[in-house]
Amino acid sequence: IVQGWRASNPGGSKIRRLLSKLFSFMLNFIFHTGLKDIKSGFALYKRSVFESLIVDRAHFRYFQHFPMIAANAKCYRIVEAPVVFDKRHSGQSFINNAFSFGLKALVDMPQAWRMYKRKR
């Protein structure tokens, strides 16, 4: 898997960037992933790898928070690459409230813990 990490991010509010960094830190700490930007949303997968990850989505309300955690738990190799974000030229984000969006992941955290916690 190639996971993009936001090398620069000129758009978005400061609070949204802060919440994103805090949530990434929390997920990295809990699940021992060590990724720079665990939730950037930019990733390349082989089809078979992607299919093996999304099979778990039925166990979660908001699986979009956990693909890299699932990949780490299933021992897939994750390589990071910098991604330069630019300001949005059109449209708008589906995330209206970053705090609320992050809280939704907490609903699934116990299930993620049961499924993906790996001992190192």
mmCIF file with all atom_site columns, all heavy atoms in Angstrom, residues 89-114:
data_model
loop_
_atom_site.group_PDB
_atom_site.id
_atom_site.type_symbol
_atom_site.label_atom_id
_atom_site.label_alt_id
_atom_site.label_comp_id
_atom_site.label_asym_id
_atom_site.label_entity_id
_atom_site.label_seq_id
_atom_site.pdbx_PDB_ins_code
_atom_site.Cartn_x
_atom_site.Cartn_y
_atom_site.Cartn_z
_atom_site.occupancy
_atom_site.B_iso_or_equiv
_atom_site.pdbx_formal_charge
_atom_site.auth_seq_id
_atom_site.auth_comp_id
_atom_site.auth_asym_id
_atom_site.auth_atom_id
_atom_site.pdbx_PDB_model_num
ATOM 1   N N   . HIS A 1 89  ? -10.335 23.913 -5.780 1.00 0.00 ? 89  HIS A N   1
ATOM 2   C CA  . HIS A 1 89  ? -10.703 24.793 -6.886 1.00 0.00 ? 89  HIS A CA  1
ATOM 3   C C   . HIS A 1 89  ? -12.208 24.833 -7.121 1.00 0.00 ? 89  HIS A C   1
ATOM 4   O O   . HIS A 1 89  ? -12.723 25.792 -7.687 1.00 0.00 ? 89  HIS A O   1
ATOM 5   C CB  . HIS A 1 89  ? -9.982  24.374 -8.172 1.00 0.00 ? 89  HIS A CB  1
ATOM 6   C CG  . HIS A 1 89  ? -8.501  24.546 -8.089 1.00 0.00 ? 89  HIS A CG  1
ATOM 7   N ND1 . HIS A 1 89  ? -7.877  25.760 -8.217 1.00 0.00 ? 89  HIS A ND1 1
ATOM 8   C CD2 . HIS A 1 89  ? -7.519  23.647 -7.845 1.00 0.00 ? 89  HIS A CD2 1
ATOM 9   C CE1 . HIS A 1 89  ? -6.577  25.616 -8.081 1.00 0.00 ? 89  HIS A CE1 1
ATOM 10  N NE2 . HIS A 1 89  ? -6.330  24.332 -7.838 1.00 0.00 ? 89  HIS A NE2 1
ATOM 11  N N   . SER A 1 90  ? -12.897 23.776 -6.726 1.00 0.00 ? 90  SER A N   1
ATOM 12  C CA  . SER A 1 90  ? -14.352 23.762 -6.861 1.00 0.00 ? 90  SER A CA  1
ATOM 13  C C   . SER A 1 90  ? -14.928 22.761 -5.870 1.00 0.00 ? 90  SER A C   1
ATOM 14  O O   . SER A 1 90  ? -14.218 21.925 -5.328 1.00 0.00 ? 90  SER A O   1
ATOM 15  C CB  . SER A 1 90  ? -14.761 23.380 -8.289 1.00 0.00 ? 90  SER A CB  1
ATOM 16  O OG  . SER A 1 90  ? -14.369 22.065 -8.579 1.00 0.00 ? 90  SER A OG  1
ATOM 17  N N   . GLY A 1 91  ? -16.199 22.870 -5.640 1.00 0.00 ? 91  GLY A N   1
ATOM 18  C CA  . GLY A 1 91  ? -16.871 21.979 -4.716 1.00 0.00 ? 91  GLY A CA  1
ATOM 19  C C   . GLY A 1 91  ? -16.505 22.281 -3.276 1.00 0.00 ? 91  GLY A C   1
ATOM 20  O O   . GLY A 1 91  ? -15.841 23.271 -2.978 1.00 0.00 ? 91  GLY A O   1
ATOM 21  N N   . GLN A 1 92  ? -16.985 21.423 -2.392 1.00 0.00 ? 92  GLN A N   1
ATOM 22  C CA  . GLN A 1 92  ? -16.680 21.600 -0.980 1.00 0.00 ? 92  GLN A CA  1
ATOM 23  C C   . GLN A 1 92  ? -16.560 20.247 -0.306 1.00 0.00 ? 92  GLN A C   1
ATOM 24  O O   . GLN A 1 92  ? -17.032 19.246 -0.814 1.00 0.00 ? 92  GLN A O   1
ATOM 25  C CB  . GLN A 1 92  ? -17.728 22.458 -0.290 1.00 0.00 ? 92  GLN A CB  1
ATOM 26  C CG  . GLN A 1 92  ? -19.138 21.882 -0.306 1.00 0.00 ? 92  GLN A CG  1
ATOM 27  C CD  . GLN A 1 92  ? -20.138 22.865 0.258  1.00 0.00 ? 92  GLN A CD  1
ATOM 28  O OE1 . GLN A 1 92  ? -20.087 24.040 -0.025 1.00 0.00 ? 92  GLN A OE1 1
ATOM 29  N NE2 . GLN A 1 92  ? -21.043 22.363 1.065  1.00 0.00 ? 92  GLN A NE2 1
ATOM 30  N N   . SER A 1 93  ? -15.924 20.238 0.828  1.00 0.00 ? 93  SER A N   1
ATOM 31  C CA  . SER A 1 93  ? -15.710 19.010 1.576  1.00 0.00 ? 93  SER A CA  1
ATOM 32  C C   . SER A 1 93  ? -17.038 18.463 2.094  1.00 0.00 ? 93  SER A C   1
ATOM 33  O O   . SER A 1 93  ? -17.949 19.218 2.423  1.00 0.00 ? 93  SER A O   1
ATOM 34  C CB  . SER A 1 93  ? -14.782 19.303 2.759  1.00 0.00 ? 93  SER A CB  1
ATOM 35  O OG  . SER A 1 93  ? -14.678 18.160 3.580  1.00 0.00 ? 93  SER A OG  1
ATOM 36  N N   . PHE A 1 94  ? -17.112 17.142 2.180  1.00 0.00 ? 94  PHE A N   1
ATOM 37  C CA  . PHE A 1 94  ? -18.293 16.525 2.787  1.00 0.00 ? 94  PHE A CA  1
ATOM 38  C C   . PHE A 1 94  ? -18.238 16.619 4.303  1.00 0.00 ? 94  PHE A C   1
ATOM 39  O O   . PHE A 1 94  ? -19.216 16.334 4.985  1.00 0.00 ? 94  PHE A O   1
ATOM 40  C CB  . PHE A 1 94  ? -18.433 15.067 2.343  1.00 0.00 ? 94  PHE A CB  1
ATOM 41  C CG  . PHE A 1 94  ? -17.408 14.144 2.938  1.00 0.00 ? 94  PHE A CG  1
ATOM 42  C CD1 . PHE A 1 94  ? -17.683 13.440 4.094  1.00 0.00 ? 94  PHE A CD1 1
ATOM 43  C CD2 . PHE A 1 94  ? -16.155 13.990 2.350  1.00 0.00 ? 94  PHE A CD2 1
ATOM 44  C CE1 . PHE A 1 94  ? -16.733 12.587 4.643  1.00 0.00 ? 94  PHE A CE1 1
ATOM 45  C CE2 . PHE A 1 94  ? -15.215 13.138 2.891  1.00 0.00 ? 94  PHE A CE2 1
ATOM 46  C CZ  . PHE A 1 94  ? -15.501 12.436 4.043  1.00 0.00 ? 94  PHE A CZ  1
ATOM 47  N N   . ILE A 1 95  ? -17.108 17.027 4.859  1.00 0.00 ? 95  ILE A N   1
ATOM 48  C CA  . ILE A 1 95  ? -16.960 17.159 6.304  1.00 0.00 ? 95  ILE A CA  1
ATOM 49  C C   . ILE A 1 95  ? -17.388 18.574 6.698  1.00 0.00 ? 95  ILE A C   1
ATOM 50  O O   . ILE A 1 95  ? -16.665 19.530 6.480  1.00 0.00 ? 95  ILE A O   1
ATOM 51  C CB  . ILE A 1 95  ? -15.508 16.890 6.757  1.00 0.00 ? 95  ILE A CB  1
ATOM 52  C CG1 . ILE A 1 95  ? -15.087 15.492 6.332  1.00 0.00 ? 95  ILE A CG1 1
ATOM 53  C CG2 . ILE A 1 95  ? -15.379 17.079 8.266  1.00 0.00 ? 95  ILE A CG2 1
ATOM 54  C CD1 . ILE A 1 95  ? -13.615 15.210 6.540  1.00 0.00 ? 95  ILE A CD1 1
ATOM 55  N N   . ASN A 1 96  ? -18.563 18.678 7.256  1.00 0.00 ? 96  ASN A N   1
ATOM 56  C CA  . ASN A 1 96  ? -19.072 19.983 7.674  1.00 0.00 ? 96  ASN A CA  1
ATOM 57  C C   . ASN A 1 96  ? -18.543 20.400 9.038  1.00 0.00 ? 96  ASN A C   1
ATOM 58  O O   . ASN A 1 96  ? -18.345 21.563 9.301  1.00 0.00 ? 96  ASN A O   1
ATOM 59  C CB  . ASN A 1 96  ? -20.608 19.985 7.701  1.00 0.00 ? 96  ASN A CB  1
ATOM 60  C CG  . ASN A 1 96  ? -21.192 19.775 6.323  1.00 0.00 ? 96  ASN A CG  1
ATOM 61  O OD1 . ASN A 1 96  ? -20.668 20.276 5.339  1.00 0.00 ? 96  ASN A OD1 1
ATOM 62  N ND2 . ASN A 1 96  ? -22.261 19.011 6.253  1.00 0.00 ? 96  ASN A ND2 1
ATOM 63  N N   . ASN A 1 97  ? -18.350 19.422 9.904  1.00 0.00 ? 97  ASN A N   1
ATOM 64  C CA  . ASN A 1 97  ? -17.896 19.694 11.249 1.00 0.00 ? 97  ASN A CA  1
ATOM 65  C C   . ASN A 1 97  ? -16.813 18.674 11.595 1.00 0.00 ? 97  ASN A C   1
ATOM 66  O O   . ASN A 1 97  ? -17.104 17.498 11.822 1.00 0.00 ? 97  ASN A O   1
ATOM 67  C CB  . ASN A 1 97  ? -19.079 19.590 12.222 1.00 0.00 ? 97  ASN A CB  1
ATOM 68  C CG  . ASN A 1 97  ? -18.691 19.909 13.642 1.00 0.00 ? 97  ASN A CG  1
ATOM 69  O OD1 . ASN A 1 97  ? -17.635 19.529 14.125 1.00 0.00 ? 97  ASN A OD1 1
ATOM 70  N ND2 . ASN A 1 97  ? -19.577 20.602 14.329 1.00 0.00 ? 97  ASN A ND2 1
ATOM 71  N N   . ALA A 1 98  ? -15.553 19.113 11.608 1.00 0.00 ? 98  ALA A N   1
ATOM 72  C CA  . ALA A 1 98  ? -14.430 18.204 11.834 1.00 0.00 ? 98  ALA A CA  1
ATOM 73  C C   . ALA A 1 98  ? -14.515 17.524 13.197 1.00 0.00 ? 98  ALA A C   1
ATOM 74  O O   . ALA A 1 98  ? -14.174 16.344 13.335 1.00 0.00 ? 98  ALA A O   1
ATOM 75  C CB  . ALA A 1 98  ? -13.113 18.959 11.696 1.00 0.00 ? 98  ALA A CB  1
ATOM 76  N N   . PHE A 1 99  ? -14.971 18.235 14.210 1.00 0.00 ? 99  PHE A N   1
ATOM 77  C CA  . PHE A 1 99  ? -15.074 17.668 15.550 1.00 0.00 ? 99  PHE A CA  1
ATOM 78  C C   . PHE A 1 99  ? -16.100 16.534 15.558 1.00 0.00 ? 99  PHE A C   1
ATOM 79  O O   . PHE A 1 99  ? -15.830 15.440 16.062 1.00 0.00 ? 99  PHE A O   1
ATOM 80  C CB  . PHE A 1 99  ? -15.448 18.757 16.552 1.00 0.00 ? 99  PHE A CB  1
ATOM 81  C CG  . PHE A 1 99  ? -15.424 18.287 17.973 1.00 0.00 ? 99  PHE A CG  1
ATOM 82  C CD1 . PHE A 1 99  ? -14.212 18.048 18.617 1.00 0.00 ? 99  PHE A CD1 1
ATOM 83  C CD2 . PHE A 1 99  ? -16.599 18.064 18.656 1.00 0.00 ? 99  PHE A CD2 1
ATOM 84  C CE1 . PHE A 1 99  ? -14.179 17.591 19.920 1.00 0.00 ? 99  PHE A CE1 1
ATOM 85  C CE2 . PHE A 1 99  ? -16.579 17.614 19.972 1.00 0.00 ? 99  PHE A CE2 1
ATOM 86  C CZ  . PHE A 1 99  ? -15.364 17.382 20.596 1.00 0.00 ? 99  PHE A CZ  1
ATOM 87  N N   . SER A 1 100 ? -17.252 16.768 14.974 1.00 0.00 ? 100 SER A N   1
ATOM 88  C CA  . SER A 1 100 ? -18.299 15.756 14.901 1.00 0.00 ? 100 SER A CA  1
ATOM 89  C C   . SER A 1 100 ? -17.840 14.546 14.089 1.00 0.00 ? 100 SER A C   1
ATOM 90  O O   . SER A 1 100 ? -18.088 13.399 14.458 1.00 0.00 ? 100 SER A O   1
ATOM 91  C CB  . SER A 1 100 ? -19.556 16.358 14.277 1.00 0.00 ? 100 SER A CB  1
ATOM 92  O OG  . SER A 1 100 ? -20.521 15.374 14.042 1.00 0.00 ? 100 SER A OG  1
ATOM 93  N N   . PHE A 1 101 ? -17.153 14.806 12.989 1.00 0.00 ? 101 PHE A N   1
ATOM 94  C CA  . PHE A 1 101 ? -16.651 13.739 12.129 1.00 0.00 ? 101 PHE A CA  1
ATOM 95  C C   . PHE A 1 101 ? -15.671 12.849 12.910 1.00 0.00 ? 101 PHE A C   1
ATOM 96  O O   . PHE A 1 101 ? -15.729 11.630 12.828 1.00 0.00 ? 101 PHE A O   1
ATOM 97  C CB  . PHE A 1 101 ? -15.974 14.348 10.903 1.00 0.00 ? 101 PHE A CB  1
ATOM 98  C CG  . PHE A 1 101 ? -15.525 13.343 9.887  1.00 0.00 ? 101 PHE A CG  1
ATOM 99  C CD1 . PHE A 1 101 ? -16.445 12.658 9.115  1.00 0.00 ? 101 PHE A CD1 1
ATOM 100 C CD2 . PHE A 1 101 ? -14.184 13.086 9.683  1.00 0.00 ? 101 PHE A CD2 1
ATOM 101 C CE1 . PHE A 1 101 ? -16.040 11.734 8.162  1.00 0.00 ? 101 PHE A CE1 1
ATOM 102 C CE2 . PHE A 1 101 ? -13.760 12.172 8.743  1.00 0.00 ? 101 PHE A CE2 1
ATOM 103 C CZ  . PHE A 1 101 ? -14.698 11.486 7.977  1.00 0.00 ? 101 PHE A CZ  1
ATOM 104 N N   . GLY A 1 102 ? -14.799 13.469 13.686 1.00 0.00 ? 102 GLY A N   1
ATOM 105 C CA  . GLY A 1 102 ? -13.852 12.713 14.505 1.00 0.00 ? 102 GLY A CA  1
ATOM 106 C C   . GLY A 1 102 ? -14.536 11.922 15.608 1.00 0.00 ? 102 GLY A C   1
ATOM 107 O O   . GLY A 1 102 ? -14.152 10.791 15.901 1.00 0.00 ? 102 GLY A O   1
ATOM 108 N N   . LEU A 1 103 ? -15.555 12.511 16.215 1.00 0.00 ? 103 LEU A N   1
ATOM 109 C CA  . LEU A 1 103 ? -16.279 11.808 17.281 1.00 0.00 ? 103 LEU A CA  1
ATOM 110 C C   . LEU A 1 103 ? -16.953 10.539 16.779 1.00 0.00 ? 103 LEU A C   1
ATOM 111 O O   . LEU A 1 103 ? -17.069 9.554  17.506 1.00 0.00 ? 103 LEU A O   1
ATOM 112 C CB  . LEU A 1 103 ? -17.320 12.723 17.917 1.00 0.00 ? 103 LEU A CB  1
ATOM 113 C CG  . LEU A 1 103 ? -16.794 13.779 18.874 1.00 0.00 ? 103 LEU A CG  1
ATOM 114 C CD1 . LEU A 1 103 ? -17.936 14.657 19.374 1.00 0.00 ? 103 LEU A CD1 1
ATOM 115 C CD2 . LEU A 1 103 ? -16.053 13.157 20.045 1.00 0.00 ? 103 LEU A CD2 1
ATOM 116 N N   . LYS A 1 104 ? -17.374 10.566 15.519 1.00 0.00 ? 104 LYS A N   1
ATOM 117 C CA  . LYS A 1 104 ? -18.025 9.382  14.951 1.00 0.00 ? 104 LYS A CA  1
ATOM 118 C C   . LYS A 1 104 ? -17.073 8.187  14.932 1.00 0.00 ? 104 LYS A C   1
ATOM 119 O O   . LYS A 1 104 ? -17.510 7.046  15.046 1.00 0.00 ? 104 LYS A O   1
ATOM 120 C CB  . LYS A 1 104 ? -18.545 9.693  13.552 1.00 0.00 ? 104 LYS A CB  1
ATOM 121 C CG  . LYS A 1 104 ? -19.737 10.617 13.574 1.00 0.00 ? 104 LYS A CG  1
ATOM 122 C CD  . LYS A 1 104 ? -20.191 10.968 12.190 1.00 0.00 ? 104 LYS A CD  1
ATOM 123 C CE  . LYS A 1 104 ? -21.378 11.916 12.266 1.00 0.00 ? 104 LYS A CE  1
ATOM 124 N NZ  . LYS A 1 104 ? -21.821 12.339 10.952 1.00 0.00 ? 104 LYS A NZ  1
ATOM 125 N N   . ALA A 1 105 ? -15.800 8.448  14.787 1.00 0.00 ? 105 ALA A N   1
ATOM 126 C CA  . ALA A 1 105 ? -14.831 7.346  14.808 1.00 0.00 ? 105 ALA A CA  1
ATOM 127 C C   . ALA A 1 105 ? -14.773 6.704  16.184 1.00 0.00 ? 105 ALA A C   1
ATOM 128 O O   . ALA A 1 105 ? -14.506 5.503  16.302 1.00 0.00 ? 105 ALA A O   1
ATOM 129 C CB  . ALA A 1 105 ? -13.454 7.844  14.419 1.00 0.00 ? 105 ALA A CB  1
ATOM 130 N N   . LEU A 1 106 ? -15.019 7.478  17.226 1.00 0.00 ? 106 LEU A N   1
ATOM 131 C CA  . LEU A 1 106 ? -14.967 6.935  18.584 1.00 0.00 ? 106 LEU A CA  1
ATOM 132 C C   . LEU A 1 106 ? -16.030 5.871  18.806 1.00 0.00 ? 106 LEU A C   1
ATOM 133 O O   . LEU A 1 106 ? -15.838 4.957  19.611 1.00 0.00 ? 106 LEU A O   1
ATOM 134 C CB  . LEU A 1 106 ? -15.089 8.060  19.610 1.00 0.00 ? 106 LEU A CB  1
ATOM 135 C CG  . LEU A 1 106 ? -13.960 9.086  19.594 1.00 0.00 ? 106 LEU A CG  1
ATOM 136 C CD1 . LEU A 1 106 ? -14.203 10.156 20.640 1.00 0.00 ? 106 LEU A CD1 1
ATOM 137 C CD2 . LEU A 1 106 ? -12.605 8.427  19.783 1.00 0.00 ? 106 LEU A CD2 1
ATOM 138 N N   . VAL A 1 107 ? -17.145 5.975  18.080 1.00 0.00 ? 107 VAL A N   1
ATOM 139 C CA  . VAL A 1 107 ? -18.205 4.977  18.181 1.00 0.00 ? 107 VAL A CA  1
ATOM 140 C C   . VAL A 1 107 ? -17.674 3.598  17.794 1.00 0.00 ? 107 VAL A C   1
ATOM 141 O O   . VAL A 1 107 ? -18.032 2.588  18.389 1.00 0.00 ? 107 VAL A O   1
ATOM 142 C CB  . VAL A 1 107 ? -19.397 5.370  17.260 1.00 0.00 ? 107 VAL A CB  1
ATOM 143 C CG1 . VAL A 1 107 ? -20.421 4.261  17.157 1.00 0.00 ? 107 VAL A CG1 1
ATOM 144 C CG2 . VAL A 1 107 ? -20.030 6.662  17.741 1.00 0.00 ? 107 VAL A CG2 1
ATOM 145 N N   . ASP A 1 108 ? -16.787 3.577  16.810 1.00 0.00 ? 108 ASP A N   1
ATOM 146 C CA  . ASP A 1 108 ? -16.254 2.323  16.300 1.00 0.00 ? 108 ASP A CA  1
ATOM 147 C C   . ASP A 1 108 ? -14.953 1.883  16.969 1.00 0.00 ? 108 ASP A C   1
ATOM 148 O O   . ASP A 1 108 ? -14.430 0.807  16.670 1.00 0.00 ? 108 ASP A O   1
ATOM 149 C CB  . ASP A 1 108 ? -15.999 2.443  14.794 1.00 0.00 ? 108 ASP A CB  1
ATOM 150 C CG  . ASP A 1 108 ? -17.278 2.456  13.982 1.00 0.00 ? 108 ASP A CG  1
ATOM 151 O OD1 . ASP A 1 108 ? -18.234 1.763  14.372 1.00 0.00 ? 108 ASP A OD1 1
ATOM 152 O OD2 . ASP A 1 108 ? -17.315 3.148  12.949 1.00 0.00 ? 108 ASP A OD2 1
ATOM 153 N N   . MET A 1 109 ? -14.415 2.691  17.838 1.00 0.00 ? 109 MET A N   1
ATOM 154 C CA  . MET A 1 109 ? -13.107 2.390  18.427 1.00 0.00 ? 109 MET A CA  1
ATOM 155 C C   . MET A 1 109 ? -13.089 1.055  19.184 1.00 0.00 ? 109 MET A C   1
ATOM 156 O O   . MET A 1 109 ? -12.139 0.279  19.012 1.00 0.00 ? 109 MET A O   1
ATOM 157 C CB  . MET A 1 109 ? -12.658 3.532  19.333 1.00 0.00 ? 109 MET A CB  1
ATOM 158 C CG  . MET A 1 109 ? -11.190 3.481  19.647 1.00 0.00 ? 109 MET A CG  1
ATOM 159 S SD  . MET A 1 109 ? -10.125 3.691  18.217 1.00 0.00 ? 109 MET A SD  1
ATOM 160 C CE  . MET A 1 109 ? -10.201 5.443  18.015 1.00 0.00 ? 109 MET A CE  1
ATOM 161 N N   . PRO A 1 110 ? -14.084 0.720  20.002 1.00 0.00 ? 110 PRO A N   1
ATOM 162 C CA  . PRO A 1 110 ? -14.032 -0.588 20.684 1.00 0.00 ? 110 PRO A CA  1
ATOM 163 C C   . PRO A 1 110 ? -13.993 -1.766 19.707 1.00 0.00 ? 110 PRO A C   1
ATOM 164 O O   . PRO A 1 110 ? -13.251 -2.728 19.916 1.00 0.00 ? 110 PRO A O   1
ATOM 165 C CB  . PRO A 1 110 ? -15.311 -0.608 21.529 1.00 0.00 ? 110 PRO A CB  1
ATOM 166 C CG  . PRO A 1 110 ? -15.637 0.826  21.743 1.00 0.00 ? 110 PRO A CG  1
ATOM 167 C CD  . PRO A 1 110 ? -15.214 1.529  20.479 1.00 0.00 ? 110 PRO A CD  1
ATOM 168 N N   . GLN A 1 111 ? -14.759 -1.672 18.632 1.00 0.00 ? 111 GLN A N   1
ATOM 169 C CA  . GLN A 1 111 ? -14.752 -2.743 17.630 1.00 0.00 ? 111 GLN A CA  1
ATOM 170 C C   . GLN A 1 111 ? -13.391 -2.816 16.939 1.00 0.00 ? 111 GLN A C   1
ATOM 171 O O   . GLN A 1 111 ? -12.852 -3.891 16.712 1.00 0.00 ? 111 GLN A O   1
ATOM 172 C CB  . GLN A 1 111 ? -15.862 -2.528 16.593 1.00 0.00 ? 111 GLN A CB  1
ATOM 173 C CG  . GLN A 1 111 ? -15.918 -3.591 15.523 1.00 0.00 ? 111 GLN A CG  1
ATOM 174 C CD  . GLN A 1 111 ? -16.290 -4.974 16.049 1.00 0.00 ? 111 GLN A CD  1
ATOM 175 O OE1 . GLN A 1 111 ? -16.688 -5.164 17.194 1.00 0.00 ? 111 GLN A OE1 1
ATOM 176 N NE2 . GLN A 1 111 ? -16.152 -5.969 15.198 1.00 0.00 ? 111 GLN A NE2 1
ATOM 177 N N   . ALA A 1 112 ? -12.830 -1.664 16.601 1.00 0.00 ? 112 ALA A N   1
ATOM 178 C CA  . ALA A 1 112 ? -11.509 -1.628 15.971 1.00 0.00 ? 112 ALA A CA  1
ATOM 179 C C   . ALA A 1 112 ? -10.460 -2.229 16.910 1.00 0.00 ? 112 ALA A C   1
ATOM 180 O O   . ALA A 1 112 ? -9.582  -2.980 16.473 1.00 0.00 ? 112 ALA A O   1
ATOM 181 C CB  . ALA A 1 112 ? -11.132 -0.196 15.592 1.00 0.00 ? 112 ALA A CB  1
ATOM 182 N N   . TRP A 1 113 ? -10.564 -1.921 18.173 1.00 0.00 ? 113 TRP A N   1
ATOM 183 C CA  . TRP A 1 113 ? -9.634  -2.462 19.175 1.00 0.00 ? 113 TRP A CA  1
ATOM 184 C C   . TRP A 1 113 ? -9.705  -3.993 19.178 1.00 0.00 ? 113 TRP A C   1
ATOM 185 O O   . TRP A 1 113 ? -8.689  -4.673 19.156 1.00 0.00 ? 113 TRP A O   1
ATOM 186 C CB  . TRP A 1 113 ? -9.966  -1.892 20.551 1.00 0.00 ? 113 TRP A CB  1
ATOM 187 C CG  . TRP A 1 113 ? -9.132  -2.462 21.645 1.00 0.00 ? 113 TRP A CG  1
ATOM 188 C CD1 . TRP A 1 113 ? -9.432  -3.520 22.455 1.00 0.00 ? 113 TRP A CD1 1
ATOM 189 C CD2 . TRP A 1 113 ? -7.839  -2.010 22.058 1.00 0.00 ? 113 TRP A CD2 1
ATOM 190 N NE1 . TRP A 1 113 ? -8.419  -3.742 23.340 1.00 0.00 ? 113 TRP A NE1 1
ATOM 191 C CE2 . TRP A 1 113 ? -7.420  -2.836 23.124 1.00 0.00 ? 113 TRP A CE2 1
ATOM 192 C CE3 . TRP A 1 113 ? -7.014  -0.987 21.635 1.00 0.00 ? 113 TRP A CE3 1
ATOM 193 C CZ2 . TRP A 1 113 ? -6.210  -2.674 23.763 1.00 0.00 ? 113 TRP A CZ2 1
ATOM 194 C CZ3 . TRP A 1 113 ? -5.789  -0.823 22.277 1.00 0.00 ? 113 TRP A CZ3 1
ATOM 195 C CH2 . TRP A 1 113 ? -5.404  -1.654 23.324 1.00 0.00 ? 113 TRP A CH2 1
ATOM 196 N N   . ARG A 1 114 ? -10.928 -4.530 19.214 1.00 0.00 ? 114 ARG A N   1
ATOM 197 C CA  . ARG A 1 114 ? -11.098 -5.993 19.234 1.00 0.00 ? 114 ARG A CA  1
ATOM 198 C C   . ARG A 1 114 ? -10.545 -6.642 17.959 1.00 0.00 ? 114 ARG A C   1
ATOM 199 O O   . ARG A 1 114 ? -9.935  -7.698 18.009 1.00 0.00 ? 114 ARG A O   1
ATOM 200 C CB  . ARG A 1 114 ? -12.574 -6.358 19.398 1.00 0.00 ? 114 ARG A CB  1
ATOM 201 C CG  . ARG A 1 114 ? -13.096 -6.184 20.802 1.00 0.00 ? 114 ARG A CG  1
ATOM 202 C CD  . ARG A 1 114 ? -14.493 -6.754 20.969 1.00 0.00 ? 114 ARG A CD  1
ATOM 203 N NE  . ARG A 1 114 ? -15.515 -6.031 20.219 1.00 0.00 ? 114 ARG A NE  1
ATOM 204 C CZ  . ARG A 1 114 ? -16.118 -4.928 20.636 1.00 0.00 ? 114 ARG A CZ  1
ATOM 205 N NH1 . ARG A 1 114 ? -15.801 -4.405 21.802 1.00 0.00 ? 114 ARG A NH1 1
ATOM 206 N NH2 . ARG A 1 114 ? -17.028 -4.350 19.905 1.00 0.00 ? 114 ARG A NH2 1
#
